[in-house]
Amino acid sequence: MTEPSVTRTYLEAEVESLEPFGFVRMIPAGQMLRTVEVARNEGGGLEVRVPGRPPVVPELAVPVRSALRERGFTCADASNRTEPWVHPADDAASSVELALGVLAEVFEHKPGASLDVLHGSHQAEHEAKQQLAAVRTRVEKMLVEVVGQAPEQDDDGDYVFPMGDVHVTVAPRAIPGGPTVVRVFAVTNVGFQVTPDLGLFLARLNFGLMFGRFALDTENRSIWFDETLLGEHFDDEELRFAIRVVSSTADEWDDRLKQMFGGATWQEVLTQRSDTEAPPIKPGTGGYL
């Protein structure tokens, strides 16, 4: 769509017809990261939203976030890059005006330039968040029994606690339209040189494992060991077993892997016996809440 007056009239009509959780998304042609949408929330009200961004793409730049804040947009957790920036709107006309204003003034979209319009629904995302909250309640209750107290949570809200010489992370995850899962993992080694021999060794090692797997993050030179459970069907004993497998296997192999391929164990980093930095991303986060 290119004609401004036609675009505005069309968008207002589309917004008027939105059902709860439905949205109209406006994207400058060829610029998927410069996206603004108008959505109808669960209660029937309208919101203009700049969607959050998953870890696989660059996060919203600081100047963009500042410009949104100046225009009255708020974010439930500004430190969480996946959270949207939201501004309530009174009606279809004002929501479209605000959305087009953000495109023009914040994302520098020129009036009359080509604009793609997509339609969709946040219903599946809403349901996934509800399922995730229920799973988190189950997991946290069980971990209190395992750890003896409420476990610490990292910046992502994942549960982190020591098990022997290993720090284990329990990470409930949900994906809209898909199953809820609980990932249990531990970093074993960091700071080594990535070589074909290392990749081949881990592949062979995984082939002989009955539970869990080693994962190699080549960009951040880190090795993880993890196991995954379906979040809606596991019981407490299965989660306890997964924690034991992850902690014992990571503890068994971290020193061996260091001896064979160099670098440092994650335990050495945590106890400040190595100045290697923490890996910035975790395995299996793409697309999940």
Side-chain angles (χ1 to χ4, degrees), residues 38-67:
V38 179
R40 194 174 296 281
N41 59 33
E42 184 178 10
L46 292 173
E47 299 174 338
V48 179
R49 298 160 50 105
V50 176
R53 296 181 177 180
V56 294
V57 300
E59 64 182 322
L60 286 171
V62 172
V64 171
R65 285 178 276 166
S66 298

Side-chain angles (χ1 to χ4, degrees), residues 134-254:
V135 169
R136 289 183 65 86
T137 298
R138 288 183 57 199
V139 168
E140 189 163 340
K141 179 180 178 181
M142 195 281 295
L143 290 180
V144 169
E145 299 175 2
V146 171
V147 182
Q149 61 184 10
E152 294 183 7
Q153 295 184 43
D154 63 16
D155 292 341
D156 298 321
D158 296 335
Y159 304 100
V160 183
F161 51 93
M163 290 288 289
D165 291 332
V166 174
H167 273 68
V168 175
T169 299
V170 176
R173 296 279 187 263
I175 189 169
T180 305
V181 301
V182 178
R183 302 202 66 162
V184 183
F185 51 79
V187 190
T188 62
N189 300 79
V190 293
F192 47 81
Q193 292 299 316
V194 178
T195 65
D197 286 344
L198 172 58
L200 180 59
F201 179 83
L202 292 178
R204 288 173 172 168
L205 186 57
N206 282 337
F207 186 76
L209 294 173
M210 185 174 297
F211 297 99
R213 61 162 188 166
F214 284 93
L216 174 62
D217 179 357
T218 57
E219 292 185 4
N220 299 296
R221 295 192 301 165
S222 58
I223 298 173
W224 304 70
F225 185 78
D226 78 291
E227 177 63 282
T228 302
L229 303 173
L230 283 176
E232 298 175 13
H233 302 289
F234 74 91
D235 59 34
D236 288 357
E237 183 51 40
E238 287 176 322
L239 181 54
R240 288 190 181 92
F241 176 76
I243 291 171
R244 289 196 299 269
V245 167
V246 169
S247 62
S248 62
T249 307
D251 189 29
E252 178 184 0
W253 282 99
D254 57 356

